Amino acid sequence: MKTVADYVRSIPDFPEPGVIFRDITTILQDPDGLQLAVNGLIDMLKDVDYDVVVGPESRGFIFGVPVAYAEHKGFVPVRKKGKLPCETISVEYELEYGTAELEIHKDAIKPGQKVVIIDDLMATGGTMEAIIKLVEQLGGEVVKICFVMELAGLKGRERLNRYPVDALVVYEGK
């Protein structure tokens, strides 16, 4: 029986020499791979009490929405600055080369709501740390963070050590 890892395409030396790029498009293109990934994320949440799923643009949308749909939960998008139409709050965070800014609608999370965050990949944890700040600023409680893949060598889990974190596939390297 295949696992989610069997559907991930590994591309050596992309975007630079020495890096192995883990491509999720091959999960998405195969109905069995997509179903395995979504069902795996749902299984991670079987004992978690939560109200809403949050996912960052764009791959968090891809995996978060089907989980929210299957579990009859709402979905809250986190987007790059300037993409949401109503009043937002934002957070700026560090990237490898510069900064970026994420936004969430100001009314998207109600105080006390229990939040699950879903994304495709955990690398350094910086983007997820920014998303957590947004959720908590609105009064939400992050009860679980789920990823399809984790690059353990980048130590993102250490940055998120105050939260339960799970990944379907863990790659030891970077």
Side-chain angles (χ1 to χ4, degrees):
M1 186 157 148
K2 284 183 145 184
T3 67
V4 172
D6 296 322
Y7 292 94
V8 177
R9 177 172 37 199
S10 296
I11 303 167
D13 299 321
F14 183 82
E16 59 187 49
V19 173
I20 300 174
F21 184 83
R22 307 298 182 174
D23 182 14
I24 64 155
T25 63
T26 46
I27 295 172
L28 302 174
Q29 292 166 354
D30 190 290
D32 294 331
L34 180 58
Q35 195 163 48
L36 265 177
V38 172
N39 288 343
L41 292 165
I42 290 168
D43 287 347
M44 287 178 187
L45 299 171
K46 68 179 178 228
D47 296 321
V48 178
D49 177 29
Y50 67 103
D51 303 305
V52 66
V53 175
V54 168
E57 149 176 25
S58 66
R59 293 172 303 244
F61 295 7
I62 292 170
F63 292 105
V65 167
V67 170
Y69 174 81
E71 296 298 297
H72 199 251
K73 306 290 183 181
F75 179 82
V76 174
V78 172
R79 300 211 55 198
K80 294 174 184 140
K81 184 172 178 58
K83 300 291 185 181
L84 291 171
C86 294
E87 191 176 356
T88 62
I89 61 167
S90 65
V91 64
E92 191 172 296
Y93 65 104
E94 297 290 321
L95 297 170
E96 190 174 354
Y97 302 106
T99 62
E101 199 167 348
L102 292 173
E103 292 183 325
I104 190 171
H105 277 139
K106 198 172 188 176
D107 62 355
I109 307 276
K110 309 294 182 267
Q113 277 192 312
K114 294 176 182 164
V115 175
V116 166
I117 306 172
I118 296 178
D119 203 2
D120 71 320
L121 177 71
M122 177 171 48
T124 66
T127 301
M128 192 55 59
E129 194 174 53
I131 294 165
I132 291 166
K133 285 179 185 173
L134 291 171
V135 168
E136 291 178 346
Q137 189 176 337
L138 292 175
E141 176 191 356
V142 176
V143 294
K144 181 102 182 218
I145 304 168
C146 302
F147 297 95
V148 176
M149 298 179 295
E150 174 184 355
L151 303 178
L154 295 175
K155 302 186 186 314
R157 215 174 261 260
E158 291 176 15
R159 258 180 130 156
L160 307 175
N161 64 6
R162 293 182 16 238
Y163 305 91
V165 174
D166 211 347
L168 294 173
V169 182
V170 177
Y171 295 101
E172 293 306 318
K174 299 176 181 180

